[in-house]
Amino acid sequence: MNHWVELDKRYFMDTGHRRLEVTLVRGEGARVWDDAGREYLDFIAGWAACSLGHCHPVIQEVIREQASRLILASLDVYTTPQIELAELLLSTSGLAKIFICNSGAEANEGAVKLARKYGKLHLSGAYEVISALKSFHGRTLAMVAATGKPEYQAPFTPLPEGFTNVPYNDIAALRAAVRERTCAILLEPIQGEGGVRIPSEHYLQEVRALCDERGILLILDEVQTGCGRTGTLWAHEYSGIRPDIMTVGKGLGGGVPIAAFLANERAACFGPGDHGSTYGGNPLCSAVAAAVLRFILKEDLVGHAARVGGDFRERLLALRGKWDIVKEVRGRGLLLAVEFTRPVALAMAQACCERGLLVNPIPPQTIRFMPPLIIGRSEVDQAMVILEGAINQMAQVAASSEGAR
Ligand SMILES: Cc1ncc(COP(=O)(O)O)c(C=O)c1O
């Protein structure tokens, strides 16, 4: 076992995350290097956060510049990078007000607080938030309650009250779950961690209509899908609807920790004392996020994600004709997944890693691709060669174990 791996195992609580035995020390663009100098193509990209790839010159420059001016102030005062970022996010989302924080979970917590306050003010104290099974909204206690995965919830009961989980992409289930005490519905426009699940064409429109009919708020969690990842700036654009509250994070910071929740005039009901954060909207991360978002827009990385992601998806789809173990390809833009017929996710990710490609396993049988938005076609070519090699290896293992039976 590598020295660093040994130390890591000794020091850290085991949350089951380190599934690839690689110790990274450097990154540039879509490539990373380990402590032995081995190069990998990174199609995990900080779980979709490194939108401009690793150590992009624009990010380096802004960090250098801003770090020499002002790193942190406090919410007692005004700071310019935060205001510039707010302007960019609000103008591109059509929403009216924003609060900037540090992580996706925190953004969703803020969104739920906002919805509960709205419930107190306008819905006779309604407080319940309905979210979906197989969703993912973060790891705080309330977001564990919102995240519809019993295995993430069971060890931590009793969970905060006021959350109900229903099947995703099932408008009848959602309709049946809305009660007097419901203040909001919280959904991902595409379920990311749940295995890249795209709802049927009219689902979000139906959810929007249900929220309007019942006077409750629609919160869309665009933490993973936002900022161009799925080939539109915000993933919900494909449905033509607008949320009342939207949360963003990950790719917004291009690798630095920043997130936000945004709301329309109606939902933006926080008043003095309702929320706060020491680091939220700090000048350093806000300056980086503003530069990242400007770069995404100026270089049309959104269109690039749609085009390169579309080609990548076609090539993944073609794998189905070649190997029986490839069951399904899902996704949009540069958020893609391949599901296999067998529980090979971990072994597949490890086989890819050995060949120089990092992909994210979603056990038991799905792998997910979230390369940086700056990914080039030649890098996709290279990833495909590696992936096909890994699938071939798995298919042979499967065939020989069947033969031995
Ligand atoms: C849709 C979604 N929401 C929220 C989160 C939580 O974000 P964070 O890990 O920054 O708290 C994630 C993280 O994967 C996510 O995919």
Side-chain angles (χ1 to χ4, degrees), residues 71-89:
I71 293 177
L72 180 65
S74 77
L75 294 188
D76 283 325
V77 299
Y78 300 87
T79 53
T80 52
Q82 182 175 106
I83 297 168
E84 283 168 11
L85 175 62
E87 226 165 34
L88 262 172
L89 280 169

Side-chain angles (χ1 to χ4, degrees), residues 103-106 108 136-138 188 193 221 223-224 250:
S103 71
E106 204 189 327
N108 286 328
F136 188 76
H137 299 293
E188 295 158 87
E193 233 231 18
D221 177 347
V223 168
Q224 182 162 150
K250 289 193 185 268

Side-chain angles (χ1 to χ4, degrees), residues 223-252:
V223 168
Q224 182 162 150
T225 53
C227 299
R229 168 70 38 198
T230 66
T232 47
L233 188 59
W234 311 112
H236 66 265
E237 286 173 31
Y238 73 86
S239 66
I241 58 125
R242 282 223 178 123
D244 299 299
I245 305 175
M246 174 171 86
T247 58
V248 299
K250 289 193 185 268
L252 175 66

Side-chain angles (χ1 to χ4, degrees), residues 85-95 234 242 262 297:
L85 175 62
E87 226 165 34
L88 262 172
L89 280 169
L90 293 173
S91 63
T92 56
S93 65
L95 292 166
W234 311 112
R242 282 223 178 123
L262 297 78
L297 296 170

